[in-house]
Amino acid sequence: MVKKIDHIGIAVKDLAAAIKFYEEMLGLKATGTEVVEEQKVRVAFLPTGDSEVELLESTSPDGPIAKFIEKNGEGIQHIAFRVDNLEEKLAELKNKGIRLIDEKPRYGAGGARIAFLHPKATFGTLIELCERK
Ligand code: ZN
């Protein structure tokens, strides 16, 4: 079962400028930044209530976030739902014929285990499933 919205991923061109906006204008506080090499991205998490905003800046012109911005401009790139048992959920969705980007969990920022569902299978939204210890 999905427990809650874990975070909303927002693609930005300039991470420092985006953090400054969220901190100074909206009063959120970034809990540090991290580079996830595999996804060619630098991320910052800003907790708000029970969820977080994840700001994503590409570290390479051929990374998925750079490509997203090239195609769509800056903005919401994915929504992440928290699950308890990611493997189980992925197996269940695969059995039901849902198109997955990741059939196996991979590393996500902050030590989470994550996997993406294909937007073609989710009515147009890139959905991340996220398991945290
Ligand atoms: Zn995410």
Side-chain angles (χ1 to χ4, degrees), residues 39-92:
Q39 291 167 61
K40 298 178 180 173
V41 75
R42 181 177 293 109
V43 308
F45 279 96
L46 298 94
T48 175
D50 200 26
S51 302
E52 298 184 73
V53 170
E54 177 185 35
L55 299 174
L56 304 127
E57 174 193 68
S58 191
T59 56
S60 159
D62 66 345
I65 293 302
K67 286 180 186 161
F68 175 88
I69 290 174
E70 201 180 294
K71 195 174 162 198
N72 307 288
E74 295 177 291
I76 293 177
Q77 195 255 351
H78 67 273
I79 294 181
F81 292 104
R82 175 90 60 95
V83 296
D84 274 336
N85 189 328
L86 185 53
E87 266 102 354
E88 205 172 274
K89 194 73 198 162
L90 288 172
E92 180 195 324

Side-chain angles (χ1 to χ4, degrees), residues 4-128:
K4 64 171 191 168
I5 291 177
D6 186 86
H7 63 270
I8 296 176
I10 301 174
V12 301
K13 288 180 186 166
D14 182 339
L15 186 62
I19 290 172
K20 190 169 153 58
F21 168 81
Y22 278 89
E23 289 189 336
E24 290 180 8
M25 299 302 142
L26 297 178
L28 278 62
K29 189 86 190 106
T31 54
T33 62
E34 179 182 348
V35 172
V36 181
E37 299 287 356
E38 187 198 332
Q39 291 167 61
K40 298 178 180 173
V41 75
R42 181 177 293 109
V43 308
F45 279 96
L46 298 94
T48 175
D50 200 26
S51 302
E52 298 184 73
V53 170
E54 177 185 35
L55 299 174
L56 304 127
E57 174 193 68
S58 191
T59 56
S60 159
D62 66 345
I65 293 302
K67 286 180 186 161
F68 175 88
I69 290 174
E70 201 180 294
K71 195 174 162 198
N72 307 288
E74 295 177 291
I76 293 177
Q77 195 255 351
H78 67 273
I79 294 181
F81 292 104
R82 175 90 60 95
V83 296
D84 274 336
N85 189 328
L86 185 53
E87 266 102 354
E88 205 172 274
K89 194 73 198 162
L90 288 172
E92 180 195 324
L93 291 169
K94 196 185 172 190
N95 271 340
K96 290 177 177 168
I98 300 299
R99 187 167 163 194
L100 307 173
I101 292 176
D102 303 305
E103 295 199 359
K104 298 247 178 295
R106 57 166 136 147
Y107 176 83
R113 300 170 73 234
I114 66 169
F116 287 98
L117 314 185
H118 200 284
K120 286 216 161 68
T122 63
F123 300 86
T125 299
L126 178 60
I127 290 179
E128 173 187 324

